[in-house]
Amino acid sequence: MKPTPLTIKKRLALELWRQQENLARREHPLRQLFWECTLRCDLKCRHCGSDCKMKTDGRDMPKEDFLRVLDSIAAKTDPHKVFVIVSGGEPLMRQDIEECGREIYGKGFPWGMVTNALHLTPQRWQRLLQAGIHTMSISLDGLEEDHNWMRGNSRSFSMVSHAIDMLVATKGFVFDIVTCVNRRNYGKLDEIKEFLIGKGVGRWRIFTVFPVGRAALDPQMRLTNEEFRGVFEYIRRTREEGRIRVDYGCEGFLGNYEGEVRNRLFACQAGVTVGSVMADGAIAACASIRADYNQGNIYRDDFMEVWEHRYAAYRQREWMRNGECDGCKYFRYCQGNGMHLRDGDGRLLLCHLHRLEAE
């Protein structure tokens, strides 16, 4: 397979972007910090690639342990410039999540949450607002039948619908709706779009499944090559319409789709500007990375010492030039794709560009 050549305009933009990203890797300013506050989750989503379950042997991380990490960060950098994203599992399964948020905000860190919204009642929403929540991402994978099929819960769609109404009604609150495109909902993206626009949603983020966890074994989650390309054509058309802001997720170098399906060009920020603290204390990068590329653990290491002096595997990516990346002329822009797409042996699980170019 020979990738379609980049246009001159695209190549110039990518060269300028590459210079900027090289600087970011050298300076690695921490800008986002994920906190996997629990491994508990009350849904069993068909595409889930995490280690989460309703009951888990591991306990939720005590908030005091995470707050000590924030103290380490605040001693070295401006906390107002580091956005904390509370994830899981399902954060709302923690009864103290509002208190956690209040203390995060009290230390000067803006914060947001990724949630399935199953427990986002009006009362909890008001408590979260009082705790200083800045943003929220909620998953919606179709209209009622399709979403509930994906999430394995007959109440999930109605709770998401009510949650969207609450967020829209909160003037000035920034949130987005996240949709996982699969074979079942691929032909219904317009229905989802019209539903969101009708609700007053302004931001919609679309992603495709990568072959990890349950999704790797479910044929309904795997788009054909034609459908995969169709996702990007759909996003491009919807952006041209201008009725809702839609972006593809942050993963994957997309060749000539770069700059047309999201608001920034591709660069994996894991370990460059994005770090994470996992439920067991592991110091990692993007929370989507399930292979063991951990750099330390908060129970034996200082987070900022690790951030400043480790993470070489994330910031110096020549080691990724193997397999199908070996000899690829676009490696200078892609740098081996997202770290979450590498297995424990460093092998690439998915190349977006190859899928886009495949017959």
Side-chain angles (χ1 to χ4, degrees):
M1 181 215 68
K2 189 175 181 180
T4 302
L6 297 173
T7 65
I8 294 176
K9 181 179 179 181
K10 200 75 52 132
R11 189 179 293 275
L12 288 173
L14 286 165
E15 285 294 341
L16 292 172
W17 182 252
R18 186 176 73 88
Q19 294 174 27
Q20 179 179 320
E21 288 306 307
N22 285 341
L23 178 63
R25 289 191 182 92
R26 290 195 296 271
E27 297 184 348
H28 50 266
L30 181 64
R31 291 292 178 257
Q32 285 187 331
L33 179 68
F34 284 89
W35 178 31
E36 188 182 56
C37 69
T38 181
L39 285 178
R40 292 181 293 147
C41 185
D42 44 2
L43 296 180
K44 191 175 182 180
C45 304
R46 299 180 72 95
H47 66 303
C48 185
S50 77
D51 305 319
C52 306
K53 56 193 74 173
M54 179 74 77
K55 294 181 180 180
T56 176
D57 296 333
R59 62 173 185 162
D60 295 348
M61 178 180 287
K63 70 177 188 302
E64 294 78 12
D65 297 350
F66 181 67
L67 293 174
R68 283 193 291 272
V69 172
L70 297 186
D71 290 337
S72 168
I73 295 170
K76 298 287 181 65
T77 192
D78 182 355
H80 296 91
K81 295 181 179 180
V82 181
F83 199 97
V84 175
I85 302 170
V86 181
S87 67
E90 172 47 52
L92 290 174
M93 291 193 75
R94 286 186 66 132
Q95 294 306 306
D96 67 342
I97 199 63
E98 296 92 339
E99 184 179 345
C100 295
R102 188 176 302 110
E103 296 204 33
I104 291 169
Y105 191 43
K107 289 182 177 292
F109 292 83
W111 72 284
M113 179 186 293
V114 179
T115 177
N116 62 36
L118 195 61
H119 297 290
L120 192 59
T121 62
Q123 295 77 17
R124 295 207 80 177
W125 175 234
Q126 290 305 310
R127 293 201 299 268
L128 288 168
L129 287 173
Q130 292 165 9
I133 192 169
H134 282 59
T135 67
M136 182 173 282
S137 292
I138 296 178
S139 297
L140 177 74
D141 299 307
L143 301 190
E144 186 164 12
E145 183 180 351
D146 291 332
H147 177 81
N148 290 343
W149 169 84
M150 184 77 152
R151 300 285 160 173
N153 186 293
S154 61
R155 295 175 54 244
S156 182
F157 177 82
S158 62
M159 289 301 294
V160 169
S161 181
H162 291 316
I164 291 173
D165 291 338
M166 289 189 293
L167 272 59
V168 168
T170 305
K171 187 175 181 179
F173 188 77
V174 177
F175 70 98
D176 68 352
I177 301 301
V178 183
T179 298
C180 172
V181 183
N182 56 76
R183 299 214 70 190
R184 181 161 170 153
N185 67 12
Y186 171 76
K188 304 175 185 179
L189 292 176
D190 268 337
E191 295 178 19
I192 301 171
K193 178 184 72 175
E194 295 302 330
F195 174 79
L196 295 177
I197 292 173
K199 285 277 193 181
V201 172
R203 296 169 182 248
W204 185 24
R205 182 156 39 103
I206 286 175
F207 72 98
T208 49
V209 167
F210 54 95
V212 172
R214 296 175 194 143
L217 304 175
D218 190 339
Q220 287 289 327
M221 295 297 105
R222 298 196 294 272
L223 299 174
T224 66
N225 291 332
E226 182 179 2
E227 290 167 339
F228 190 72
R229 285 190 296 273
V231 169
F232 301 101
E233 290 295 325
Y234 181 82
I235 294 173
R236 184 157 59 184
R237 289 195 306 272
T238 302
R239 288 170 69 91
E240 290 172 354
E241 287 177 358
R243 298 171 62 214
I244 186 171
R245 170 178 162 174
V246 59
D247 296 283
Y248 185 63
C250 61
E251 67 174 42
F253 177 70
L254 306 175
N256 277 310
Y257 285 108
E258 287 293 328
E260 299 180 17
V261 295
R262 53 190 167 206
N263 283 356
R264 58 178 288 155
L265 301 178
F266 172 72
C268 177
Q269 296 298 310
V272 179
T273 62
V274 177
S276 69
V277 174
M278 308 304 280
D280 62 356
I283 298 173
C286 168
S288 294
I289 299 172
R290 308 316 302 183
D292 186 6
Y293 290 103
N294 301 332
Q295 304 300 299
N297 192 290
I298 65 167
Y299 294 112
R300 62 174 183 269
D301 303 303
D302 176 78
F303 179 89
M304 283 305 287
E305 285 298 312
V306 172
W307 180 258
E308 290 298 333
H309 302 297
R310 302 186 195 176
Y311 284 90
Y314 293 90
R315 298 166 189 166
Q316 301 166 13
R317 301 199 178 191
E318 279 298 312
W319 65 271
M320 299 170 103
R321 198 189 286 269
N322 57 46
E324 59 187 300
C325 293
D326 187 21
C328 177
K329 65 180 179 179
Y330 296 131
F331 187 89
R332 64 190 288 108
Y333 308 129
C334 176
Q335 292 287 296
N337 220 337
M339 281 289 290
H340 68 292
L341 298 172
R342 296 275 164 171
D343 68 13
D345 295 320
R347 291 187 295 261
L348 183 64
L349 300 173
L350 169 67
C351 173
H352 288 68
L353 185 59
H354 283 187
R355 283 217 69 187
L356 288 169
E357 298 286 344
E359 295 296 335

